[in-house]
Amino acid sequence: MTATKPDLGTWVGKGIDRVDGPHKVTGTAPYASDVTLPGMVHAVVVTSTVGAGTITKIDTSALLTLPGVRAVFTHENFPRLNPSPDVLFGEAPTAPLQDGRITFHGQEVALVVADTSQEATEAARLIEITYAAEAPLLDPAAGQPEPLPLSPDTSRGDTEAGWAAADVRIGATYRTPENTNNPLGLMGCVAAWDGDHLEIHDTTQGTIALRKTLAAMFGVPESGVRVRVPYLGGGFGAGLNQWPYKLLAAGAARELGRPVKLMLTRPQMFRLVGHRPDTEQQVRLGATRDGTLTMIEHRATVLSSIDFLAVGLITSGTGHLYACPNVATVERTVRLNRRYPTSMRAPGEAEGNWAIETAMDELAYELGMDPLELRLRNLATDLDPASGKPWSSNGVIECCRVGAELFGWSRRDPRPSSMREGDLLLGWGMAAAGFFAYLPMSQARVTVYADGTAAVRSAATDIGTGTYTVITQLAADLLGLHPQQVDCRLGDSDMPASAQSGGSGLASSLSNAVIDAVSHLQGELLTLAGADSPLHGLGPDDVVCRDGALCRRDDPSVRVPIADLLAGQGLVEMSGDGRLRPPDAAAAGMVHAGAYGARFVEVAIDPMIGRLRVRRVVSVTDGGRILNRKLARSQILGATVGGIGQALFEDTLTDPGTGRVANGTFGDYLVAVSADVPDVEVVFVGEPDRYTPSGTKGIGEIGLVGVAAAIGNAVHHATGRRMRDLPITVDQLMM
Amino acid sequence: MKTTRSTAPAPTAQDEYTVDVFTVVNGAPVQWRVDTRTTLLEALRDSSGLTGTKRGCDQGACGACTVHVDGARVVSCLMLAAQVDGRQVTTVEGLIDEEGRLHPLQEAFVRHDAFQCGFCTPGQLMSAVCLLREGRAGSDAEIREYMSGNLCRCGAYDNIVAAVREAAGGGA
């Protein structure tokens, strides 16, 4: 842990434009799909047309006579791969094309490689596969419930006693459907081998995690595998796992001795790179007449695929938001012949918050109490109610109060259908929100050059959140430079190892690594200060870098140009390596808090045709120290759009007979478009978090949490109808 | 700009699967000898190396591949390369001027942070340029309606509207 608090404030926090903006608006930012290598051939994945069973025959002989076709890989000729190493968030999907087993409809069963993508696509269409099909297991009730490793059951107090002691009780079942991440960028890669060295341009959110998997499964040294992702067309969790397509491309490239490009199609994006899995949740709440919670019980079942478990985390936040003495959470999964689940923006909280915050609204109506007042009475802001230790920061009450003020909540008539505008029914709803703290390891290298400029390097990926920009701002403050003097490069596993962009963990992880790297850099520069130097004898935290000079922290007029320090030893640059140094949790005496929020929504419903419009959103977030106000606002705006989609549109349908995705295109799977989104008011509250020197919290996901529940609660306010199943569709709103 | 049909003769077929296409891309004459099944999107990206135009769905549903053909916006994944023979194509690479300066909309997109991952951005820009030309930026609601063919999964819509509104107000 760096002893001295960093000097931040000149550039950190400012809403500067994205440093990669000009590349993105001119079409010059290179994504994996834009990579072309000499001699490159194109691969197309063939997927199963049954939901369970075994392949009995694949006839590829005719395909090989088609123009341009170079190879067809099936389980009969694809190279055998080593078992997957442990991966982030649980199991890895099984290696592709190792046997003829089919575990879900649309699974990878063959790979066609041809000179052009048109030739490969044509050949893939003509492949003939015979299956011994079995009836897919698709009914959750017929499956075997099992626990989820990342979501253990929790219990405190005595929920049955809390139930008995309650004056008012509610209990209901809530459902969230499968949602598909669907980043705009189709996922895929270009893989090229040189002997045992593999270079892959991919759409992963984590270059280091992918490097580890590829090295282990192909049996080559990790040092020789390079993963490059300078730009990423979104992901929202779909880029967290080491999906089979990457192994298919790398395997084919090795067999053919040529670079192989493999880009998934949009329909394949619904089946081969994960989704937010379906949940069914039972919630019971009890409270005394004054609105004090006496018990919370949250039971969730989340669906998994046969070979790959869901992440879960549906109930993991439940015991931490409200100060209730009696809480029990139970989470189970069922393995079905369904496609792979994964994390999708705000994993677990997106689903769990829907149930809990809808239930809280139901409880408020049972109590005859303002839903905001019920939250304020029970939110746990000082101590984490599970451990009894103080939070490192918690601004959830401030989020609620500020949001209510901006929204005008006090003018709300609580009676359902009481607020109207002409023929329209208006509804005002709110929800509180939290997202867990997650602090994965990252490393970074900071280099200063004789010309006064500096560079930051890390293997982290900028998924679109603005990592390039905020790290540039942070380094500019730490080095006393203008952001234009700092060159930040990311997305290359040959750079210092970093966590993935995911779990809202990267900004904190990487910014603390950069703070540590600058401290080490200062230490390295001090070793160049000879006995006659005014800086001689000082420690790394006694000095700061300012305008190309190393200065005494307590008296910046005592300074030595970095160029002089370097030249004295014949150096042209000096680097400092750093890593996240998380505090010892026990010694810190506090619980690392995640981000918090409160969402206030106005909907207008035309009862004659069931049309619902979200008219107004006030979204307040405690995100700790904000690194860039403009980009942080964009994170909350974007997550709000995701929440509107979750609430009103997104629903990946599975054919109950075959297990096939029934709406796997952008024509059939609806997402929020511009016309569905109102102007959103985004406000940040709270203080820099105490847990790490950067003071940051992750804000990529918190903005989505609570949006769906606030909309559902607003619908209840408008109509008197309680929404418990997502998405909220016209048929639920027709009067 | 008015849309005009080409008066050029039909593209010349070399063999069953190959066709020669003569077109103008971003003001420069271009010849493609491509597979007859090649879409305009693929020809731009693979034959001309203009990878600014993105493939997001290949089904005309996301707008990421939006380009201009004879001044009108089209989704280039639903148009065969052979169909632009004798016509004018403009891509995102053609928005900067001769001196390399950004188009006012490109500047407004940067200033308003009208993108995050940036993958849908070229298509958003190409739609927005046409929207201004079509006179469809009269109100935020109108901008939203006429930009709704371009999906943004990062959810930058509010900032896109702000950027288009500003560019419209600036007389672009």
Side-chain angles (χ1 to χ4, degrees):
Chain A
M1 167 125 275
T2 309
T4 314
K5 286 214 166 174
D7 302 318
L8 306 176
T10 305
W11 293 104
V12 166
K14 272 211 167 68
I16 68 167
D17 294 343
R18 259 169 222 271
V19 297
D20 51 344
H23 289 121
K24 286 177 173 174
V25 297
T26 52
T28 54
Y31 299 81
S33 54
D34 302 333
V35 172
T36 297
L37 297 177
M40 186 177 85
V41 290
H42 297 263
V44 168
V45 180
V46 181
T47 60
S48 72
T49 53
V50 302
T54 311
I55 298 169
T56 53
K57 190 176 176 219
I58 297 190
D59 186 358
T60 62
S61 53
L63 303 187
L64 293 168
T65 66
L66 293 172
V69 174
R70 288 184 176 259
V72 181
F73 293 99
T74 70
H75 65 284
E76 291 167 351
N77 65 343
F78 191 70
R80 300 300 94 163
L81 301 179
N82 297 330
S84 167
D86 289 342
V87 297
L88 193 69
F89 309 136
E91 302 175 332
T94 48
L97 307 190
Q98 301 294 293
D99 55 39
R101 202 169 58 109
I102 304 298
T103 62
F104 66 92
H105 198 289
Q107 177 192 318
E108 306 89 342
V109 290
L111 188 75
V112 179
V113 186
D115 289 341
T116 70
S117 60
Q118 292 85 5
E119 290 162 342
T121 302
E122 175 80 1
R125 216 175 2 234
L126 298 172
I127 197 165
E128 286 191 23
I129 304 176
T130 312
Y131 301 91
E134 296 162 15
L137 178 63
L138 296 168
D139 178 8
Q144 191 65 40
E146 57 182 289
L148 281 156
L150 294 177
S151 296
D153 295 350
T154 66
S155 176
R156 69 170 181 259
D158 181 341
T159 48
E160 290 313 317
W163 184 254
D167 299 318
V168 174
R169 307 178 180 94
I170 65 116
T173 298
Y174 306 85
R175 292 181 188 84
T176 62
E178 177 173 329
N179 292 170
T180 306
N181 306 49
N182 271 321
L184 247 285
L186 295 173
M187 297 201 138
C189 60
V190 178
W193 290 85
D194 178 7
D196 272 354
H197 285 62
L198 168 63
E199 184 159 318
I200 185 166
H201 302 259
D202 187 44
T203 50
T204 184
Q205 291 171 231
T207 58
I208 299 299
L210 178 56
R211 179 181 76 184
K212 177 182 168 185
T213 294
L214 290 170
M217 295 185 78
F218 284 96
V220 296
E222 203 168 335
S223 54
V225 176
R226 186 176 185 189
V227 180
R228 302 181 68 178
V229 192
Y231 289 92
L232 185 54
F236 316 107
L240 288 177
N241 288 100
Q242 317 317 330
W243 304 117
Y245 82 79
K246 305 164 200 248
L247 303 165
L248 288 172
R254 198 178 203 190
E255 292 295 303
L256 295 172
R258 280 175 173 276
V260 168
K261 184 170 196 170
L262 188 166
M263 297 306 301
L264 299 180
T265 66
R266 182 56 60 184
Q268 288 174 343
M269 293 287 288
F270 283 80
R271 309 188 306 245
L272 302 181
V273 292
H275 58 264
R276 177 188 282 152
D278 319 47
T279 72
E280 182 174 296
Q281 305 172 56
Q282 286 85 35
V283 176
R284 290 198 300 159
L285 300 178
T288 52
R289 185 53 65 192
D290 67 354
T292 304
L293 284 167
T294 59
M295 68 86 73
I296 302 172
E297 184 183 77
H298 190 184
R299 294 174 174 274
T301 302
V302 55
L303 301 189
S304 287
S305 59
I306 296 292
D307 288 336
F308 184 50
L309 279 185
V311 175
L313 306 176
I314 313 299
T315 58
S316 60
T318 303
H320 301 277
L321 195 60
Y322 294 108
C324 175
N326 307 305
V327 179
T329 66
V330 178
E331 193 162 331
R332 293 289 180 271
T333 191
V334 178
R335 293 183 192 252
L336 300 175
N337 289 114
R338 297 274 294 252
R339 48 217 164 263
Y340 321 118
T342 193
S343 301
M344 180 168 158
R345 203 167 190 173
E349 285 290 356
E351 304 94 312
N353 180 284
W354 162 251
I356 293 293
E357 288 301 301
T358 306
M360 285 294 282
D361 203 68
E362 296 194 49
L363 181 63
Y365 273 86
E366 279 297 312
L367 285 161
M369 186 175 220
D370 184 319
L372 173 67
E373 280 307 311
L374 179 63
R375 266 54 167 225
L376 294 174
R377 182 172 292 273
N378 290 287
L379 284 166
T381 52
D382 298 330
L383 304 178
D384 166 30
S387 65
K389 290 185 183 160
W391 289 114
S392 53
S393 62
N394 184 325
V396 67
I397 294 248
E398 192 182 358
C399 290
C400 288
R401 289 196 194 284
V402 169
E405 180 66 29
L406 289 168
F407 190 82
W409 185 260
S410 62
R411 298 195 304 276
R412 178 178 182 266
D413 182 336
R415 295 169 300 157
S417 307
S418 62
M419 295 171 69
R420 289 168 186 264
E421 186 181 285
D423 293 333
L424 299 177
L425 296 168
L426 299 187
W428 289 9
M430 62 85 58
F435 191 78
F436 53 81
Y438 170 64
L439 197 58
M441 178 51 68
S442 283
Q443 294 168 258
R445 177 170 304 140
V446 176
T447 305
V448 288
Y449 301 88
D451 67 357
T453 61
V456 185
R457 302 284 184 258
S458 175
T461 55
D462 184 338
I463 193 175
T465 46
T467 313
Y468 280 113
T469 309
V470 298
I471 292 302
T472 298
Q473 289 174 266
L474 176 68
D477 267 357
L478 293 169
L479 297 171
L481 296 174
H482 189 281
Q484 286 178 354
Q485 296 171 288
V486 178
D487 180 74
C488 175
R489 284 190 214 175
L490 307 171
D492 185 339
S493 66
D494 276 4
M495 295 176 182
S498 167
Q500 72 290 347
S501 49
S504 293
L506 184 61
S508 285
S509 171
L510 188 57
S511 58
N512 284 295
V514 169
I515 290 169
D516 189 53
V518 169
S519 175
H520 286 154
L521 169 65
Q522 289 165 180
E524 289 294 322
L525 290 171
L526 278 173
T527 65
L528 307 178
D532 55 344
S533 167
L535 302 176
H536 185 72
L538 296 177
D541 295 321
D542 301 330
V543 292
V544 289
C545 292
R546 283 287 169 268
D547 301 321
L550 194 64
C551 315
R552 279 190 77 109
R553 184 181 289 272
D554 56 8
D555 180 6
S557 69
V558 179
R559 61 201 302 276
V560 179
I562 290 170
D564 293 354
L565 289 169
L566 295 173
Q569 298 289 328
L571 293 164
V572 295
E573 65 177 47
M574 181 61 82
S575 296
D577 281 5
R579 68 173 179 89
L580 168 74
R581 294 179 191 275
D584 182 278
M590 59 178 140
V591 176
H592 188 198
Y596 293 94
R599 320 291 167 222
F600 294 81
V601 169
E602 175 180 304
V603 301
I605 294 172
D606 183 338
M608 298 301 289
I609 58 173
R611 184 175 64 191
L612 186 164
R613 308 287 294 184
V614 177
R615 297 227 300 199
R616 219 156 50 92
V617 178
V618 173
S619 181
V620 188
T621 299
D622 163 22
R625 185 195 300 282
I626 298 302
L627 295 171
N628 179 314
R629 297 230 149 243
K630 185 189 293 191
L631 273 56
R633 175 175 172 272
S634 294
Q635 281 307 297
I636 303 300
L637 281 179
T640 305
V641 173
I644 291 172
Q646 183 201 10
L648 303 181
F649 306 114
E650 300 193 34
D651 187 1
T652 310
L653 299 167
T654 299
D655 177 73
T658 61
R660 174 179 169 272
V661 176
N663 60 341
T665 71
F666 266 151
D668 297 314
Y669 180 86
L670 303 183
V671 302
V673 301
S674 191
D676 297 313
V677 178
D679 281 329
V680 179
E681 186 166 1
V682 174
V683 179
F684 291 100
V685 300
E687 300 293 323
D689 186 73
R690 294 186 293 145
Y691 199 74
T692 66
S694 73
T696 47
K697 300 184 180 192
I699 54 166
E701 304 181 275
I702 181 65
L704 187 145
V705 185
V707 173
I711 291 172
N713 294 338
V715 169
H716 172 261
H717 182 227
T719 65
R721 293 187 187 183
R722 182 54 69 183
M723 300 291 122
R724 299 193 182 97
D725 296 349
L726 291 177
I728 300 164
T729 47
V730 170
D731 51 303
Q732 294 170 274
L733 301 174
M734 296 277 279
M735 294 290 159
Chain B
M1 196 181 294
K2 203 163 137 244
T3 300
T4 52
R5 295 294 305 182
S6 164
T7 53
T12 336
Q14 296 299 308
D15 59 48
E16 193 185 352
Y17 286 114
T18 312
V19 65
D20 282 325
V21 181
F22 297 89
T23 184
V24 176
V25 179
N26 299 330
V30 169
Q31 181 182 355
W32 294 321
R33 175 164 291 183
V34 289
D35 190 306
T36 49
R37 297 160 291 190
T38 304
T39 62
L40 174 57
L41 170 64
E42 291 166 331
L44 290 167
R45 289 177 55 82
D46 301 336
S47 302
S48 284
L50 294 169
T51 53
T53 305
K54 301 302 184 197
R55 175 193 299 212
C57 71
D58 234 15
Q59 297 177 323
C62 77
C65 66
T66 303
V67 300
H68 301 170
V69 174
D70 292 340
R73 44 175 157 168
V74 302
V75 280
S76 59
C77 71
L78 291 189
M79 185 174 244
L80 291 170
Q83 287 177 277
V84 301
D85 191 75
R87 302 171 77 176
Q88 301 260 352
V89 181
T90 307
T91 70
V92 71
E93 289 90 348
L95 289 185
I96 53 171
D97 68 14
E98 296 76 17
E99 277 83 52
R101 284 181 305 230
L102 297 183
H103 186 283
L105 259 170
Q106 290 174 307
E107 290 185 340
F109 265 54
V110 173
R111 199 158 48 244
H112 288 277
D113 205 34
F115 50 86
Q116 293 175 29
C117 81
F119 198 87
C120 73
T121 311
Q124 301 276 1
L125 282 163
M126 298 312 285
S127 279
V129 168
C130 267
L131 172 146
L132 295 182
R133 250 187 234 148
E134 295 159 6
R136 297 291 188 185
S139 67
D140 284 4
E142 192 177 33
I143 294 170
R144 287 189 183 282
E145 193 63 33
Y146 283 85
M147 288 299 289
S148 281
N150 290 80
L151 303 183
C152 172
R153 199 63 170 140
C154 298
Y157 298 130
D158 278 8
N159 292 345
I160 292 170
V161 171
V164 174
R165 183 200 305 136
E166 181 185 276

